[in-house]
Amino acid sequence: AIIGGGPSGLSAAYYLELMGHHAVVFEEKSKLGGMLRYGIPSYRFPRERLQEDIDAILSTGVEVKLNSKVGNGPDEISFEKLREEFDAVYIAIGAHTDKKIGIDGEDSHGVMSAVEMLRSIGEEKMPDFKDKTVVVIGGGNVAMDCTRSSIRLGAKKVYIAYRRRQEDMTALPEEIEGAIAEGAELYGLKAPHKIEADENGNVAALWVEPQIIGPIDAWGRARPIHADVELQRIPCDIIIVAIGQGIELRPFEEAGIKIKRGTISALSSSELANNEGVFAGGDCASGPATVIKAVAAAKVTAANID
């Protein structure tokens, strides 16, 4: 049983089928692909290419159950049931929940998370950004995806607010350069302070705290320190929060699986200690990382299940 039809789950299913086992994939959404479909915009990875890969994987005989969520709810499949019915279980649920900044006004109308925005695009329900001013909070590749997608959705102006300097951003330099080349404006050393809403509860502006460069941290990046100047107001209609993803762990925690620092605690073999036959890999075990790492974890897992 494979829980999750993203890059890691599908790759594990593919290798297991080639090794002569039968893999059944349980995917909670209506389509396969995980973050490749619901997180990476099609201008970076065309949906036709994704479908070709999925079709190649399914041609090996992988069985797929869509709209199948594992959990303890009334319409959900219990994890215990999977453990009883299958010889091995691979948990590859990815990291699909959003993270909050924790500032005033974050629940205003017009504030959305990167996960929410990119998922809508993945489901081909395009958000209406025509002639809107958008502020993206964050400095990673996902923030750049949101920035460049906002431009493609017809936004009038797109700003990136980031609490460190441009050279401290975790996004790939070519992604940042691409976003700026497409017309986005970068506000470096600006930490989000609060979100201002109008009388109808709609976003009116993002207030930011200017920062100055402080001591270098363990990763070699300058730590931002609050500058002793007035807050700055950035008027906008939409705010996208792109500060990282979390993992939906509750059903697994309730099933007695060990969680460590917000991820499933797996051994280097991908197996879980004291849970023979249960494996975990990809973003749910490593924390949000790259597709290639998720595929690599799947290959290790398949070999060890075999």
Side-chain angles (χ1 to χ4, degrees):
I2 292 170
I3 306 170
S8 205
L10 288 177
S11 299
Y14 171 78
Y15 290 117
L16 287 164
E17 287 283 350
L18 293 183
M19 289 166 177
H21 307 288
H22 183 49
V24 183
V25 175
F26 296 85
E27 167 54 51
E28 72 166 340
K29 295 196 172 65
S30 58
K31 288 182 178 170
L32 294 169
M35 275 300 191
L36 287 173
R37 183 182 301 278
Y38 296 105
I40 294 177
S42 57
Y43 74 85
R44 276 184 55 188
F45 186 34
R47 294 290 170 259
E48 307 80 57
R49 297 287 85 82
L50 172 62
Q51 200 52 53
E52 282 168 13
D53 256 11
I54 292 172
D55 292 344
I57 288 167
L58 298 184
S59 72
T60 60
V62 174
E63 192 181 326
V64 176
K65 296 190 184 299
L66 297 170
N67 303 306
S68 301
K69 187 171 166 62
V70 173
N72 301 322
D75 303 328
E76 297 174 349
I77 303 147
S78 89
F79 180 67
E80 279 82 2
K81 191 164 182 270
L82 292 182
R83 289 193 67 176
E84 282 164 25
E85 288 180 13
F86 290 84
D87 298 306
V89 179
Y90 180 44
I91 306 167
I93 55 169
H96 288 261
T97 62
D98 40 37
K99 284 189 177 170
K100 303 275 182 242
I101 315 176
I103 56 173
D104 288 348
E106 204 169 353
D107 49 4
S108 306
H109 187 63
V111 179
M112 64 174 76
S113 70
V115 171
E116 203 182 325
M117 176 196 177
L118 295 170
R119 186 182 295 148
S120 297
I121 295 171
E123 288 168 348
E124 291 171 16
K125 298 175 188 152
M126 302 300 173
D128 180 19
F129 285 3
K130 194 158 172 46
D131 299 327
K132 302 254 172 67
T133 299
V134 178
V135 177
V136 178
I137 299 172
N141 286 319
V142 175
M144 298 309 113
D145 284 350
C146 292
T147 302
R148 299 176 76 174
S149 295
S150 299
I151 293 166
R152 284 164 175 73
L153 289 166
K156 178 173 64 180
K157 193 76 207 144
V158 184
Y159 299 105
I160 304 160
Y162 184 57
R163 65 195 183 92
R164 298 175 187 260
R165 303 168 300 177
Q166 182 174 334
E167 54 264 44
D168 300 321
M169 288 173 119
T170 56
L172 295 167
E174 58 268 32
E175 288 292 323
I176 302 164
E177 287 155 16
I180 292 168
E182 286 176 7
E185 238 176 273
L186 175 62
Y187 278 104
L189 291 168
K190 302 279 185 283
H193 177 75
K194 66 173 182 186
I195 292 164
E196 178 192 323
D198 63 17
E199 62 278 7
N200 302 319
N202 297 318
V203 167
L206 173 69
W207 286 84
V208 292
E209 293 177 8
Q211 307 287 297
I212 53 172
I213 296 161
I216 302 295
D217 65 17
W219 289 276
R221 299 194 302 172
R223 195 174 294 137
I225 298 172
H226 179 57
D228 198 10
V229 292
E230 284 182 8
L231 297 177
Q232 191 176 339
R233 184 179 186 268
I234 307 171
C236 57
D237 309 297
I238 307 273
I239 291 172
I240 299 160
V241 180
I243 57 163
Q245 296 110 257
I247 302 157
E248 180 53 72
L249 294 167
R250 200 180 68 244
F252 302 99
E253 211 166 356
E254 286 169 1
I257 281 172
K258 192 177 162 206
I259 307 297
K260 191 174 165 191
R261 287 201 289 276
T263 58
I264 294 173
S265 183
L267 305 168
S268 59
S269 63
S270 294
E271 199 165 14
L272 306 190
N274 310 322
N275 277 286
E276 203 185 338
V278 180
F279 296 76
D283 286 3
C284 70
S286 64
T290 59
V291 172
I292 212 74
K293 279 185 176 161
V295 172
K299 204 167 182 181
V300 167
T301 304
N304 289 321
I305 288 175
D306 182 58

